[in-house]
């Protein structure tokens, strides 16, 4: 079964003619007889290579406008019979083996994407091709099936290296590719027909499975797979250095990249348990990193950190990996970025365990957001639109510059609901997440968590006496903006915000108690903007 | 194109013979000629129905141990030719139309699940069947293809009602089913072959898409789909009453059902933003509901509530939907349960907006937990094992009964990380989530949230003077158990727990600072158990 097989007779019938000439030449050169059909035959003959017309093998004409070309007792027998046990029967029936099928299918998907009408779609369902491919693949013990012009070169190479024979491993791999192709082909047809009937269906194929050390916890097994045919995939991330990526690392890497992808200028996100506990953007990468870190300098330890631009040495050095005082070294799990300067790489690589990962957040082309439940899928398009309007609903209007608003809404969107983000522009002009609260059943808890974090962070960054400190905290919070991912159901959140000196609030609006909430803002001297767009994330 | 088609000639070749006799009888009764093969032919003939042997149509013998039976120029031409434009050509070639194909495939999946060896698997790849099915489906303008014995009855009915003709709608639906079948069939083969090669792949097909009003937010579109072939699916939930289910309702319904599925006795979970803010179990459903509600009586408003047993009237009445004082009515989004007593239903249906949903949590057979990212999948088996050991690691051992331990671990497992659950057995013997903290980047925050919630809840349930209150709170917390989903990285959490009078802690262990954490417990008079199993959930 594992013997190499000499290719003496090949059947070539392809829709995509690329690479056909060199393949035919190589086969002819090996002394292989080539059987072919219609357009394929023409191209081969133009290259002065002799071809056997398939009609001479089948005894049948090409019929019904090309619907019948290859399907026949003769062709499929030649592909399917067992060379060991069925030899005599084949001889008696006049069936000679075909050792190689080269075939690709009518371009159903391409024709569909061109917006073809229904009749044209139906005409582009290939019947003969899948039959040949599936028959050859079933008999891969003896037969080689090549379905992709990109594999011709390898086939030619293999034939040349093995004196015209194809080894078992090649045939086995080719067989897998063949059934993957026919599965994908019919999946595309089935989904299209379902769609035509108004009964949308989704078919997804994922391959190249990598086994992870474990899943979310060590008693669970984990796998990482790539969507077949995806142009960009998180799967393509390059682990440049450090320990193997864990399941949770990958979850957080996605969150981190998703958090920085829409940031203008240099951006940095610090992720802990799938939530950004630090986020900053501005024109100096090192300062941006420092400000992101300062968002929660305790939780930042052990975090996953993403940058949206090439990481510079000065930025990396903030981690103080080479500080003699080990307490000063900032241990983190992962740093991910589109690239790293050579000296930054060298610096980061000094830390044996630190995972350094290359991936460009611009390549996160996630159009669909999918949740998987027992036997079911919930599918939605990704949450991209940040706001619908910028409407000051209180008596007095505040002022938020566009960059800070966008930044704050990104922060609120990335946090698990209920989410509150307090953002500010620092004196150096960096946009910073000063405090966040997330994942709470009660919005008041998130508000309190965010505001307490703000106060703690401000106290930590201030150097001076207690009275000056209190003034400083008040001024900074006065200038910050509190953003809520969804409406406030009651005025209690407003009262809490006022207690912490918040002066500006942004929220989508839409509660039946909006009036009471606005009124409380007016009473407490808070300016509030409605954006019209909620950002629940669960 | 949309004309009904008279079935004059049928080809039947099935692996599954069920229902074959009545179908053959019905076709014969309509005056239809039946062409058949091997075993199928035998069964039909046993029913005294005349059959044309397929060899008489193809002119070829059955060959190569049955690998070649139907594939032929004659059969596929009879299926594929255009009855309008190719009529003359067909006549000239002696091809008579076949109007109906009844075929199901070699049972590759069944044979695989039986644990068949590789050779047997390969033999069970059907080649002739998919060719016939795909050809007939392509020409559904004229040809009917039936691939599932469960559809025979409908076919017979349709034939009887339409004087032996099949309407376009039936043919179109049958065509969709046919391509879905061949797609699934080759998907199964492709995945199996990939697996054999050690390159695991996943193929998933979801259909029956229902469009939701919107996604997680109103600017996102939402779809709900069912996994093809799934035995049990969340999709099958029955909305008995109330407003249409939203995307977020479904997310929370899953969380709610998942939270009660492993509870012994009566169980109730109250979900807000995908986290249980209330959870209880015990032998009286009404009391269980009350205790679950008391876990966070503010957040419980607008929640999604699940029960694991049939809901009784007395339980439902706790919502006080008919209370004259509207403030006493407990507004919730969804109640989901395996069933509802008739009087409970009537009571709940009085509230127009309340969604009443029937689904049995025992039917959540989710083996895999899958996360979708840009072009990639992260797959793990579900987190089922609660603990690996029950090891008291402190100088003094505590005592936790098995039921309370299991209940507490379920609570901690269902909460988003970092998660802290404080649980107790109430004086009525109900297991109750007394307070929870979740979704925090820093575990200390979760611990504080959980303990503050405990104190608030205990204060709310106590009736008496302040001194007695403080005593009561202390005693109750002393008797409660604090459970952490993952290890404590530092002793700070222990100190916080002690401050709130916690005496018993359960956690997986595994930190490099376990010793320091244990020592702090010993110093503070806390008993701590290690379970060895972490329950991160992100």
């Amino acid at each position: 079964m594992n013997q190499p097989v000499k290719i003496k007779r090949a059947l070539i019938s392809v829709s995509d003619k690329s690479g056909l000439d060199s393949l035919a030449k190589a086969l002819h050169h090996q002394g292989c007889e080539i059987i072919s059909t219609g357009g394929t035959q023409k191209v081969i003959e133009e290259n002065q290579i002799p071809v056997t017309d398939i009609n001479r093998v089948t005894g049948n004409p090409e019929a019904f406008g090309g619907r019948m070309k290859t399907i026949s007792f003769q062709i499929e027998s030649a592909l399917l019979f067992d060379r060991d046990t069925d030899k005599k029967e084949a001889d008696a029936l006049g069936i000679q083996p075909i050792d190689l099928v080269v075939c690709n299918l009518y371009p159903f998907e391409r024709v569909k994407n061109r917006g073809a009408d229904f009749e044209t779609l139906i005409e582009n369902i290939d019947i003969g091709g899948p039959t040949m491919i599936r028959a050859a693949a079933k008999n891969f013990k003896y037969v080689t099936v090549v379905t992709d012009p990109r594999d011709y070169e390898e086939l030619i190479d293999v034939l040349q290296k093995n004196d015209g024979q194809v080894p078992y491993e090649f045939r086995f791999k080719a067989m897998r590719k063949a059934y993957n192709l026919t599965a994908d082909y019919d999946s595309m047809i089935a989904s299209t027909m379902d769609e035509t009937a108004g009964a949308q269906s989704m078919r997804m194929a994922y391959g190249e499975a990598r086994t992870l050390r474990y899943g979310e916890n060590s008693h669970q097994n984990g796998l990482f797979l790539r969507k077949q045919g995806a142009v960009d995939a998180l799967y393509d991330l390059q682990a440049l250095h450090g320990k193997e990526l864990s399941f949770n690392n990958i979850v957080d890497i996605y969150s981190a990249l998703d958090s920085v992808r829409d940031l203008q200028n240099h951006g940095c996100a610090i992720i802990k348990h799938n939530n950004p506990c630090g986020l900053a953007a501005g024109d100096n990468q090192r300062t941006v990193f420092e400000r992101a870190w300062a968002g929660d300098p305790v939780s930042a330890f052990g975090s996953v950190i993403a940058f949206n631009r090439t990481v510079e040495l000065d930025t990396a050095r903030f981690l103080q990996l080479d500080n003699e005082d080990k307490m000063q070294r900032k241990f983190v799990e992962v740093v991910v970025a589109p690239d790293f300067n050579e000296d930054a790489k060298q610096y980061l690589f000094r830390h044996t365990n630190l995972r350094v990962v290359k991936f460009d957040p611009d390549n996160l082309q996630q159009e669909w957001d999918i949740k998987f439940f027992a036997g079911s899928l919930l599918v939605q398009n990704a949450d991209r639109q940040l706001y619908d309007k910028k409407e000051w609903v209180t008596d007095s209007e505040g002022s938020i510059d566009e960059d800070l608003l966008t930044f704050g809404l990104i922060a609120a969107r990335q946090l698990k609901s209920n989410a509150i983000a307090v953002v500010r522009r620092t004196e150096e002009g960096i946009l910073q997440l000063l405090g966040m609260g997330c994942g709470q059943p009660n919005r008041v808890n998130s508000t309190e968590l965010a505001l307490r974090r703000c106060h703690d962070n401000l106290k930590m960054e201030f150097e001076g006496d207690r009275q000056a400190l209190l003034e400083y905290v008040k001024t900074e919070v006065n200038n910050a903006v509190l953003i809520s991912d969804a409406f406030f159901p009651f005025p209690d959140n407003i009262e809490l915000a006022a207690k912490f000196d918040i002066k500006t609030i942004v929220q989508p609006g839409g509660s039946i108690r909006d009036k009471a909430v606005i009124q409380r803002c007016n009473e407490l001297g808070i300016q509030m903007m409605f954006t019209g767009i909620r950002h629940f994330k669960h």
Side-chain angles (χ1 to χ4, degrees), chain A:
Chain A
M1 173 154 182
N2 298 350
Q3 298 302 308
V5 174
K6 178 94 180 174
I7 306 297
K8 293 182 194 160
R9 210 157 164 247
L11 169 54
I12 310 184
S13 176
V14 290
S15 166
D16 176 351
K17 310 285 189 293
S18 58
L20 183 56
D21 50 347
S22 32
L23 177 65
K25 272 179 205 158
L27 289 170
H28 178 61
H29 185 72
Q30 302 280 353
C32 170
E33 179 192 355
I34 299 173
I35 305 164
S36 192
T37 60
T40 308
Q41 183 174 352
K42 223 174 120 187
V43 172
I44 300 176
E45 280 171 345
E46 277 164 7
N47 283 274
Q48 274 77 45
I49 296 161
V51 184
T52 305
D53 188 315
I54 196 160
N55 302 346
R56 286 186 45 206
V57 181
T58 64
N60 306 314
E62 177 170 323
F64 311 123
R67 281 189 169 195
M68 290 298 294
K69 273 188 285 203
T70 62
I71 299 178
S72 58
F73 181 78
Q74 290 73 21
I75 293 294
E76 272 71 25
S77 289
L79 293 173
L80 274 172
F81 83 86
D82 186 308
R83 271 54 164 164
D84 296 312
T85 60
D86 297 336
K87 182 81 178 67
K88 272 192 190 165
E89 192 179 352
D91 285 346
L93 289 163
I95 302 291
Q96 279 183 278
I98 294 175
D99 313 304
L100 168 69
V101 165
V102 180
C103 179
N104 48 61
L105 304 175
Y106 292 174
F108 184 87
E109 187 168 5
R110 191 144 42 85
V111 169
K112 183 190 172 186
N113 292 339
R114 269 208 310 262
D117 62 20
F118 190 66
E119 292 282 330
T120 310
L121 279 178
I122 296 287
E123 270 324 299
N124 275 281
I125 297 177
D126 199 329
I127 305 297
T131 299
M132 278 193 291
I133 289 172
R134 298 182 74 259
K138 172 166 175 145
N139 213 18
F140 78 99
K141 192 172 166 181
Y142 310 102
V143 183
T144 304
V145 54
V146 174
T147 53
D148 184 345
R150 284 171 298 184
D151 296 337
Y152 294 171
E153 208 173 313
E154 193 186 343
L155 175 64
I156 294 169
D157 194 48
V158 156
L159 287 171
Q160 278 165 356
K161 281 192 180 131
N162 296 279
D163 193 26
Q165 298 183 110
V166 177
Y168 178 79
E169 292 67 30
F170 187 95
R171 301 198 308 273
F172 188 79
K173 208 173 79 180
M175 173 271 279
R176 283 171 47 211
K177 188 157 181 172
Y179 283 118
N180 272 288
L181 173 74
T182 55
D184 286 342
Y185 192 74
D186 279 7
S187 292
M188 175 57 69
I189 295 170
S191 296
T192 305
M193 295 303 146
D194 284 351
E195 212 179 299
T196 305
Q200 196 169 339
S201 61
M202 285 187 74
R203 287 175 170 275
M204 293 169 287
Y206 290 82
E208 302 177 47
R210 278 187 227 156
T211 305
L212 303 172
R213 253 184 84 206
Y214 46 79
E216 209 162 354
N217 302 288
S218 64
H219 61 295
Q220 295 167 272
N221 300 314
L223 274 184
F224 193 28
L225 300 101
R226 190 180 198 286
K227 186 169 184 178
Q228 294 188 7
V231 179
D232 292 309
L234 184 66
Y235 183 95
D236 301 332
L237 55 83
Q238 291 178 55
L240 303 179
H241 174 80
K243 283 209 293 192
E244 193 188 328
L245 289 175
S246 72
F247 188 100
N248 293 327
N249 286 160
I250 297 169
V251 172
D252 283 345
I253 285 173
Y254 179 76
S255 258
L257 291 166
D258 195 35
S259 297
V260 295
R261 64 188 280 209
D262 290 332
L263 296 180
Q264 300 299 314
N265 220 327
H266 283 288
C268 172
I270 299 182
I271 303 294
K272 201 71 179 286
H273 294 291
N274 212 6
N275 278 300
C277 65
L279 189 73
D283 56 12
N284 180 302
Q285 194 183 50
R286 163 74 181 240
T287 320
V288 163
F289 188 16
E290 289 176 9
R291 290 300 189 168
W293 189 273
D296 190 341
V298 173
S299 298
F301 280 84
S303 63
V304 171
I305 299 176
F307 295 92
N308 61 348
R309 303 231 180 135
T310 301
V311 172
E312 299 152 18
L313 175 63
D314 190 44
T315 305
R317 288 177 63 92
F318 176 62
L319 291 173
Q320 300 207 47
L321 300 179
D322 48 4
N323 197 310
E324 284 183 19
D325 177 1
K326 284 193 180 178
M327 294 300 289
Q328 296 301 314
R329 297 183 193 172
K330 296 183 180 73
F331 163 70
V332 302
E333 287 266 319
V334 181
V335 179
V336 56
D339 211 345
F340 298 83
N341 281 342
E342 207 44 51
D343 48 6
K345 247 188 237 177
Q346 278 177 26
Y347 179 83
L348 292 169
F349 287 8
R350 261 182 250 170
H351 194 330
T352 320
N353 288 337
L354 176 65
R355 297 163 183 92
V356 182
V357 177
K358 190 173 156 178
F359 191 89
D360 192 335
D362 281 349
N363 291 342
L364 288 183
Q365 301 296 338
Q366 180 148 9
E367 213 188 324
W368 297 103
D369 180 12
I370 305 181
K371 287 177 200 291
F372 181 91
F373 297 112
S376 315
L377 276 194
L378 267 177
V379 179
Q380 60 179 348
N381 46 352
D383 180 11
R384 309 303 305 152
Q385 188 188 351
L386 289 172
Y387 58 85
D388 189 36
K389 58 182 180 185
K390 299 190 282 182
E391 183 188 352
W392 291 103
V393 291
T394 42
D395 291 346
S396 72
E397 298 194 355
S399 71
I400 312 175
D401 66 87
E402 183 64 29
D403 289 351
L404 184 60
L405 177 66
T406 300
F407 176 81
L409 288 169
I410 290 171
R413 179 187 68 188
Q414 297 300 128
L415 292 163
K416 297 266 184 186
S417 303
N418 288 320
I420 298 289
V422 180
V423 297
R424 67 161 172 179
R425 184 183 287 279
T426 67
E427 46 179 5
E428 325 96 312
I430 304 282
L431 304 172
Q432 183 193 27
L433 176 60
L434 187 59
M436 68 82 171
C438 67
Q440 294 305 302
N442 190 326
R443 186 163 298 278
V444 174
N445 283 345
S446 293
T447 304
E448 188 174 350
L449 285 163
L451 290 168
R452 279 167 57 189
R453 167 67 40 221
C454 286
H455 275 234
D456 288 350
N457 289 342
L458 290 168
K459 284 174 191 162
M460 209 167 321
E461 77 183 15
F462 185 76
E463 290 165 7
D465 66 23
R466 192 176 146 75
Q467 189 48 44
L469 168 64
L470 294 180
E471 272 309 305
Y472 176 75
V473 169
K474 190 175 174 185
T475 311
E476 286 298 309
V477 177
N478 278 177
N479 291 327
V481 180
L482 182 147
I483 300 185
S484 176
D485 68 339
F487 65 64
F488 295 111
F490 295 99
D492 52 357
N493 281 283
I494 306 298
E495 287 152 15
L496 188 61
K499 215 178 83 185
F500 279 86
D501 298 318
I502 284 288
K503 287 283 169 204
T504 313
I505 290 177
V506 173
Q507 60 133 314
S511 163
I512 49 165
R513 291 188 205 86
D514 273 352
K515 264 193 184 169
V517 170
I518 294 169
Q519 193 190 324
R520 204 76 189 101
C521 283
N522 285 331
E523 288 161 8
L524 294 165
I526 286 175
Q527 291 125 6
M528 185 160 65
M529 176 192 279
F530 278 7
T531 62
I533 296 276
R534 188 178 77 182
H535 293 290
F536 270 163
K537 184 184 182 190
H538 291 102

